[in-house]
Amino acid sequence: MSTTASRQTPRAITAPGNHARPGSRPPPPPHALSAPLHALRHAAPALLAYLAVRGTGLLLLTVWAHRGQHGVWPILATQWDADWYLGIADHGYAHELGTADNANNLAFFPLYPALVKAVAAVTPGTRASTGLALAVLASLVAAWGVFAVGERLHGRRAGVLLTVLWAALPVGLVQWMGYTESLFTALAAWSLYAVLTGRLLTAAWLAALAGLTRPTGVAVAAAVTVAALLALRRRFGPRPLAAAVLAPLGWCGYVGWVGLRVGRWDGYFAVQRLWHNELDGGLETLRQMRRLLVYDPRPELFLVMVTLTLIGSVVLFGLAVRDRQPVPLLVFTAVLLAIVLGSGGVYFPRARFLLPAFPLLLPLALRLSRATRRHRALALAAAVTGSAYCGAYMALVHPGAP
């Protein structure tokens, strides 16, 4: 017989003057209040390393921009996609489909501009400053979630390394721009962590929010839904069933709303066609790769980096499968890769679209955690330096949007 089963439960001790009123909730135990702070302290090395990596990139961008007489603030807060989101926060969405290419803002999902509008209404500063602040704050939440997933699977050192590698991606600068990648990664990372810890309803709510943030939110919904179906297969219950239903509601809700707004069932997909963004099975991706790597005598450096990132992502997915990553993580990255590689849309932002696919970096983090200290330091130094240079080049030299 278990020794704990024979023990009597001690009575709760109430401090003098703190007697609970009839019908009131008892005060939470001390560990419930200290748990978030303890978790934050535990993740502090990863978060500090993240700030160091992104701070290095921001420093190089600032120096480079100053020498070229460019303003850093517009680059980070008001240009390219940030301008679209600020426009939605200011004026709302278009009411009809129209015929102009690359001009319908219904292609942009609503959660981030809604947050910008809501927070800016109760805080000082412009909506641009609010949007950038939200993106930076979301990047820290995302880094925390990335660390949590890495630590859960392979220990604290691997979690810290995974966070550093995610910060040091070639397009890592986007994490501190008025874009949605940081918010989406935060929701995806914590949704996947909730799946790994068996909290399917929490994962489903976060997946629904991710589905309101980016088109690739369907990848988070797919991961949570698969996890819920696997749980139902082991044992039927209302929570997994509710999670399977709830997870895709954000993405489906926005796609359905766009259809109602423009008066046609395929309204959202019609908007994407106006942006030349249709799935073609990867034909356009392969055509662009062949042109850049085989036929173009002087390929643009940024596009070469995008191409190498796409190829590297496929290789890393193969390593993730070989390492037998948990099924929800594999589903998330597989769907994300299928969307990005199978799209016939513009080529230059593809590396940015893969920024939330942090589980692809787990094989590298795991192998770096086992490497010697010298080799680990050299690899991380090269990654951080390369990320800082690529970020500044992407923002200041490349003629297109990041």
Coordinates of all heavy atoms in Angstrom, one line a residue, residues 11-73:
R11 N -4.9 20.0 7.8 CA -5.8 21.1 7.7 C -5.1 22.4 7.2 O -4.0 22.7 7.6 CB -6.5 21.4 9.0 CG -7.4 20.3 9.5 CD -8.0 20.7 10.8 NE -8.9 19.6 11.3 CZ -9.6 19.7 12.4 NH1 -9.5 20.8 13.2 NH2 -10.4 18.7 12.8
A12 N -5.8 23.2 6.4 CA -5.3 24.4 6.0 C -5.1 25.4 7.2 O -6.0 25.5 8.0 CB -6.2 25.1 4.9
I13 N -4.0 26.1 7.2 CA -3.8 27.0 8.3 C -4.1 28.4 7.8 O -3.6 28.9 6.8 CB -2.3 26.9 8.8 CG1 -2.1 25.5 9.3 CG2 -2.1 27.9 9.9 CD1 -0.6 25.3 9.7
T14 N -5.0 29.1 8.6 CA -5.4 30.4 8.2 C -4.7 31.4 9.1 O -4.8 31.3 10.3 CB -6.9 30.6 8.3 OG1 -7.5 29.6 7.5 CG2 -7.3 32.0 7.7
A15 N -4.1 32.4 8.5 CA -3.4 33.4 9.3 C -4.4 34.3 10.0 O -5.5 34.5 9.5 CB -2.5 34.3 8.4
P16 N -4.0 34.8 11.2 CA -4.9 35.7 11.9 C -5.4 36.9 11.1 O -4.5 37.5 10.5 CB -4.1 36.1 13.1 CG -3.1 35.0 13.3 CD -2.8 34.6 11.9
G17 N -6.6 37.1 11.1 CA -7.1 38.3 10.4 C -7.4 38.0 8.9 O -7.9 38.9 8.2
N18 N -7.1 36.7 8.4 CA -7.3 36.4 7.0 C -8.4 35.3 6.9 O -8.3 34.4 6.0 CB -6.0 35.9 6.4 CG -5.1 37.1 6.2 OD1 -5.5 38.2 6.0 ND2 -3.8 36.8 6.2
H19 N -9.4 35.3 7.8 CA -10.4 34.3 7.7 C -11.3 34.5 6.5 O -11.7 35.6 6.2 CB -11.3 34.3 9.0 CG -10.5 34.1 10.3 ND1 -10.1 32.8 10.6 CD2 -10.1 34.9 11.3 CE1 -9.5 32.9 11.8 NE2 -9.5 34.2 12.2
A20 N -11.5 33.4 5.8 CA -12.3 33.5 4.5 C -13.7 33.7 4.9 O -14.3 33.2 5.8 CB -12.1 32.2 3.7
R21 N -14.3 34.6 4.1 CA -15.8 34.8 4.2 C -16.5 33.6 3.6 O -16.1 33.0 2.7 CB -16.1 36.1 3.5 CG -15.5 37.3 4.1 CD -15.9 38.6 3.3 NE -15.2 39.8 3.9 CZ -15.3 41.0 3.3 NH1 -16.0 41.1 2.2 NH2 -14.7 42.0 3.9
P22 N -17.8 33.4 4.1 CA -18.6 32.3 3.6 C -18.8 32.6 2.1 O -19.3 33.7 1.7 CB -19.9 32.3 4.4 CG -19.5 33.0 5.7 CD -18.4 34.0 5.3
G23 N -18.6 31.5 1.3 CA -18.9 31.6 -0.2 C -17.7 32.2 -1.0 O -17.8 32.3 -2.2
S24 N -16.7 32.8 -0.3 CA -15.6 33.4 -1.0 C -14.6 32.3 -1.4 O -14.5 31.3 -0.8 CB -14.9 34.5 -0.2 OG -14.3 33.9 1.0
R25 N -13.7 32.6 -2.4 CA -12.7 31.7 -2.8 C -11.5 31.8 -1.9 O -11.1 32.8 -1.4 CB -12.2 32.1 -4.2 CG -13.3 31.8 -5.3 CD -12.7 32.2 -6.7 NE -13.6 31.9 -7.8 CZ -13.3 32.1 -9.0 NH1 -12.1 32.6 -9.4 NH2 -14.3 31.9 -10.0
P26 N -10.9 30.6 -1.6 CA -9.8 30.6 -0.7 C -8.6 31.3 -1.4 O -8.5 31.3 -2.7 CB -9.5 29.1 -0.4 CG -10.1 28.4 -1.6 CD -11.3 29.3 -2.0
P27 N -7.7 31.9 -0.7 CA -6.5 32.5 -1.4 C -5.7 31.4 -2.0 O -5.6 30.3 -1.6 CB -5.7 33.2 -0.2 CG -6.2 32.4 1.0 CD -7.6 32.0 0.8
P28 N -5.1 31.8 -3.2 CA -4.3 30.8 -3.9 C -3.0 30.4 -3.1 O -2.5 31.2 -2.3 CB -3.9 31.5 -5.2 CG -4.0 32.9 -4.9 CD -5.0 33.1 -3.9
P29 N -2.5 29.2 -3.3 CA -1.3 28.8 -2.6 C -0.1 29.7 -3.0 O -0.1 30.2 -4.2 CB -1.1 27.3 -2.9 CG -1.9 27.2 -4.2 CD -3.0 28.1 -4.1
P30 N 0.9 29.8 -2.2 CA 2.0 30.7 -2.6 C 2.7 30.3 -3.9 O 3.1 31.2 -4.7 CB 3.0 30.6 -1.4 CG 2.1 30.1 -0.2 CD 1.0 29.3 -0.8
H31 N 2.8 29.0 -4.1 CA 3.5 28.6 -5.4 C 2.8 29.0 -6.6 O 3.3 29.1 -7.7 CB 3.7 27.1 -5.3 CG 2.5 26.3 -5.4 ND1 1.8 26.0 -6.6 CD2 1.7 25.6 -4.4 CE1 0.7 25.3 -6.4 NE2 0.7 25.0 -5.1
A32 N 1.4 29.1 -6.5 CA 0.7 29.6 -7.7 C 1.0 31.0 -8.1 O 0.9 31.3 -9.3 CB -0.8 29.4 -7.4
L33 N 1.3 31.8 -7.1 CA 1.7 33.2 -7.4 C 3.1 33.3 -7.9 O 3.4 34.2 -8.7 CB 1.5 34.1 -6.2 CG 0.0 34.2 -5.6 CD1 0.0 35.0 -4.3 CD2 -0.9 34.8 -6.7
S34 N 4.0 32.5 -7.4 CA 5.4 32.6 -7.8 C 5.8 31.8 -9.0 O 6.9 31.9 -9.5 CB 6.3 32.1 -6.6 OG 6.0 30.8 -6.3
A35 N 4.9 30.9 -9.5 CA 5.2 30.0 -10.6 C 5.6 30.8 -11.8 O 6.6 30.5 -12.5 CB 4.1 29.1 -10.9
P36 N 4.8 31.8 -12.3 CA 5.2 32.6 -13.5 C 6.6 33.3 -13.3 O 7.4 33.3 -14.3 CB 4.1 33.6 -13.6 CG 2.9 33.0 -12.9 CD 3.5 32.3 -11.8
L37 N 6.9 33.8 -12.1 CA 8.2 34.5 -11.9 C 9.3 33.4 -12.0 O 10.4 33.7 -12.5 CB 8.2 35.2 -10.6 CG 7.3 36.5 -10.6 CD1 7.3 37.1 -9.2 CD2 7.7 37.5 -11.6
H38 N 9.0 32.3 -11.4 CA 10.0 31.2 -11.4 C 10.3 30.8 -12.8 O 11.4 30.6 -13.2 CB 9.6 30.0 -10.5 CG 10.5 28.8 -10.6 ND1 11.7 28.8 -10.0 CD2 10.3 27.7 -11.3 CE1 12.3 27.6 -10.3 NE2 11.5 26.9 -11.1
A39 N 9.2 30.6 -13.6 CA 9.4 30.2 -15.0 C 10.1 31.3 -15.8 O 11.0 30.9 -16.6 CB 8.0 30.0 -15.6
L40 N 9.9 32.5 -15.5 CA 10.6 33.6 -16.2 C 12.1 33.6 -15.8 O 12.9 33.8 -16.7 CB 10.0 35.0 -15.8 CG 10.6 36.2 -16.5 CD1 10.5 36.1 -18.0 CD2 9.9 37.5 -16.0
R41 N 12.4 33.4 -14.6 CA 13.8 33.3 -14.2 C 14.5 32.1 -14.8 O 15.6 32.2 -15.2 CB 13.9 33.2 -12.6 CG 13.6 34.5 -11.9 CD 14.1 34.4 -10.4 NE 13.4 33.4 -9.7 CZ 12.3 33.6 -9.0 NH1 11.8 34.8 -8.9 NH2 11.7 32.6 -8.4
H42 N 13.7 31.0 -14.9 CA 14.3 29.8 -15.5 C 14.6 30.1 -17.0 O 15.6 29.5 -17.5 CB 13.3 28.7 -15.4 CG 13.8 27.3 -15.8 ND1 14.8 26.7 -15.1 CD2 13.5 26.6 -16.9 CE1 15.1 25.5 -15.7 NE2 14.3 25.4 -16.8
A43 N 13.8 30.9 -17.7 CA 14.0 31.1 -19.1 C 14.9 32.3 -19.3 O 15.2 32.7 -20.5 CB 12.6 31.4 -19.8
A44 N 15.3 33.0 -18.3 CA 16.1 34.2 -18.4 C 17.3 34.1 -19.3 O 17.6 35.0 -20.1 CB 16.5 34.8 -17.0
P45 N 18.1 33.0 -19.2 CA 19.3 32.9 -20.1 C 18.9 32.9 -21.5 O 19.6 33.5 -22.4 CB 19.9 31.6 -19.6 CG 19.5 31.4 -18.2 CD 18.1 32.0 -18.1
A46 N 17.8 32.2 -21.9 CA 17.4 32.2 -23.3 C 16.9 33.6 -23.7 O 17.3 34.0 -24.8 CB 16.3 31.2 -23.4
L47 N 16.2 34.3 -22.9 CA 15.7 35.6 -23.2 C 16.8 36.6 -23.3 O 16.8 37.5 -24.2 CB 14.6 36.0 -22.2 CG 13.4 35.2 -22.2 CD1 12.4 35.7 -21.1 CD2 12.7 35.1 -23.5
L48 N 17.7 36.6 -22.4 CA 18.9 37.5 -22.5 C 19.7 37.2 -23.8 O 20.2 38.2 -24.4 CB 19.7 37.4 -21.3 CG 19.1 37.9 -20.0 CD1 20.0 37.6 -18.8 CD2 18.8 39.4 -20.1
A49 N 19.9 35.9 -24.1 CA 20.6 35.6 -25.3 C 19.9 36.1 -26.5 O 20.5 36.6 -27.5 CB 20.9 34.1 -25.4
Y50 N 18.6 36.0 -26.5 CA 17.7 36.5 -27.6 C 17.9 38.0 -27.8 O 18.1 38.4 -28.9 CB 16.3 36.1 -27.4 CG 15.4 36.7 -28.4 CD1 15.2 36.1 -29.6 CD2 14.7 37.9 -28.1 CE1 14.4 36.7 -30.6 CE2 13.9 38.5 -29.1 CZ 13.7 37.9 -30.3 OH 12.9 38.4 -31.3
L51 N 17.8 38.7 -26.7 CA 18.0 40.2 -26.8 C 19.4 40.5 -27.3 O 19.6 41.5 -28.0 CB 17.8 40.8 -25.4 CG 16.3 40.8 -24.9 CD1 16.3 41.2 -23.4 CD2 15.5 41.7 -25.8
A52 N 20.4 39.8 -26.9 CA 21.8 40.0 -27.4 C 21.9 39.8 -28.9 O 22.5 40.6 -29.6 CB 22.8 39.1 -26.6
V53 N 21.3 38.8 -29.4 CA 21.4 38.5 -30.8 C 20.6 39.6 -31.6 O 21.2 40.1 -32.6 CB 20.8 37.1 -31.1 CG1 20.7 36.9 -32.6 CG2 21.6 36.0 -30.5
R54 N 19.4 39.9 -31.2 CA 18.6 40.9 -31.9 C 19.2 42.3 -31.7 O 19.1 43.1 -32.6 CB 17.2 40.8 -31.5 CG 16.5 39.6 -31.9 CD 16.2 39.3 -33.4 NE 16.7 40.3 -34.3 CZ 17.6 40.0 -35.2 NH1 18.1 38.8 -35.3 NH2 18.0 40.9 -36.1
G55 N 19.8 42.5 -30.6 CA 20.4 43.8 -30.3 C 21.6 44.0 -31.3 O 21.9 45.1 -31.8
T56 N 22.4 42.9 -31.5 CA 23.5 43.0 -32.4 C 23.0 43.3 -33.8 O 23.6 44.2 -34.5 CB 24.3 41.6 -32.4 OG1 24.7 41.4 -31.1 CG2 25.4 41.7 -33.4
G57 N 22.0 42.7 -34.3 CA 21.4 43.0 -35.6 C 20.9 44.4 -35.7 O 21.1 45.1 -36.7
L58 N 20.3 44.9 -34.6 CA 19.8 46.3 -34.7 C 20.9 47.3 -34.7 O 20.8 48.3 -35.4 CB 18.9 46.5 -33.5 CG 18.2 47.9 -33.3 CD1 17.3 48.2 -34.5 CD2 17.4 48.0 -32.0
L59 N 22.0 47.0 -34.0 CA 23.1 47.9 -34.0 C 23.8 48.0 -35.3 O 24.1 49.1 -35.8 CB 24.2 47.4 -32.9 CG 25.5 48.2 -32.8 CD1 25.2 49.6 -32.4 CD2 26.5 47.5 -31.9
L60 N 24.0 46.8 -36.0 CA 24.6 46.9 -37.4 C 23.6 47.6 -38.3 O 24.1 48.4 -39.1 CB 24.8 45.5 -37.9 CG 25.4 45.4 -39.3 CD1 26.8 46.1 -39.3 CD2 25.6 43.9 -39.7
L61 N 22.3 47.4 -38.2 CA 21.4 48.1 -39.1 C 21.5 49.6 -38.9 O 21.5 50.4 -39.8 CB 20.0 47.6 -38.8 CG 18.8 48.3 -39.5 CD1 18.9 48.1 -41.0 CD2 17.5 47.9 -38.9
T62 N 21.5 50.0 -37.6 CA 21.6 51.4 -37.3 C 22.8 52.1 -37.8 O 22.8 53.2 -38.4 CB 21.5 51.6 -35.8 OG1 20.3 51.0 -35.3 CG2 21.5 53.1 -35.4
V63 N 24.0 51.4 -37.7 CA 25.2 52.0 -38.2 C 25.2 52.1 -39.7 O 25.6 53.1 -40.3 CB 26.4 51.1 -37.7 CG1 27.7 51.6 -38.4 CG2 26.6 51.2 -36.2
W64 N 24.8 51.0 -40.3 CA 24.7 50.9 -41.8 C 23.7 52.0 -42.3 O 24.0 52.7 -43.3 CB 24.3 49.5 -42.2 CG 24.5 49.2 -43.7 CD1 24.6 50.1 -44.7 CD2 24.6 47.9 -44.2 NE1 24.7 49.4 -45.9 CE2 24.8 48.1 -45.6 CE3 24.6 46.6 -43.7 CZ2 24.9 47.0 -46.5 CZ3 24.8 45.5 -44.6 CH2 25.0 45.7 -45.9
A65 N 22.6 52.1 -41.7 CA 21.6 53.1 -42.1 C 22.1 54.5 -42.0 O 21.9 55.4 -42.8 CB 20.3 52.9 -41.4
H66 N 22.8 54.8 -40.8 CA 23.3 56.1 -40.6 C 24.3 56.5 -41.7 O 24.3 57.6 -42.2 CB 24.0 56.2 -39.2 CG 24.6 57.5 -38.9 ND1 23.9 58.6 -38.6 CD2 25.9 57.9 -38.8 CE1 24.7 59.6 -38.4 NE2 25.9 59.2 -38.5
R67 N 25.2 55.5 -42.0 CA 26.2 55.8 -43.1 C 25.5 56.1 -44.4 O 26.0 56.8 -45.3 CB 27.2 54.7 -43.2 CG 28.1 54.6 -41.9 CD 29.2 53.6 -42.1 NE 30.1 53.6 -41.0 CZ 31.1 52.8 -40.9 NH1 31.4 51.8 -41.8 NH2 31.9 52.8 -39.8
G68 N 24.4 55.4 -44.7 CA 23.7 55.6 -45.9 C 22.7 56.6 -45.9 O 21.9 56.8 -46.8
Q69 N 22.6 57.3 -44.7 CA 21.6 58.4 -44.5 C 20.1 57.9 -44.7 O 19.3 58.5 -45.3 CB 21.9 59.6 -45.5 CG 23.2 60.2 -45.2 CD 23.4 61.5 -46.1 OE1 22.8 61.7 -47.1 NE2 24.4 62.3 -45.7
H70 N 19.9 56.7 -44.1 CA 18.6 56.1 -44.1 C 18.0 56.2 -42.6 O 18.8 56.2 -41.7 CB 18.6 54.7 -44.5 CG 19.0 54.5 -45.9 ND1 18.3 54.8 -47.0 CD2 20.2 54.0 -46.4 CE1 18.9 54.5 -48.1 NE2 20.1 54.0 -47.8
G71 N 16.7 56.3 -42.5 CA 16.1 56.3 -41.2 C 15.8 54.9 -40.8 O 15.2 54.1 -41.6
V72 N 16.1 54.5 -39.6 CA 15.8 53.2 -39.1 C 14.3 53.1 -38.7 O 13.7 52.0 -38.9 CB 16.7 52.9 -37.8 CG1 16.3 51.5 -37.2 CG2 18.2 52.8 -38.3
W73 N 13.8 54.1 -38.1 CA 12.4 54.0 -37.7 C 11.4 53.6 -38.8 O 10.6 52.7 -38.6 CB 12.0 55.3 -37.0 CG 10.5 55.4 -36.7 CD1 9.5 56.1 -37.4 CD2 9.9 54.8 -35.6 NE1 8.3 55.9 -36.8 CE2 8.5 55.1 -35.7 CE3 10.3 53.9 -34.6 CZ2 7.6 54.6 -34.8 CZ3 9.4 53.5 -33.7 CH2 8.0 53.8 -33.8

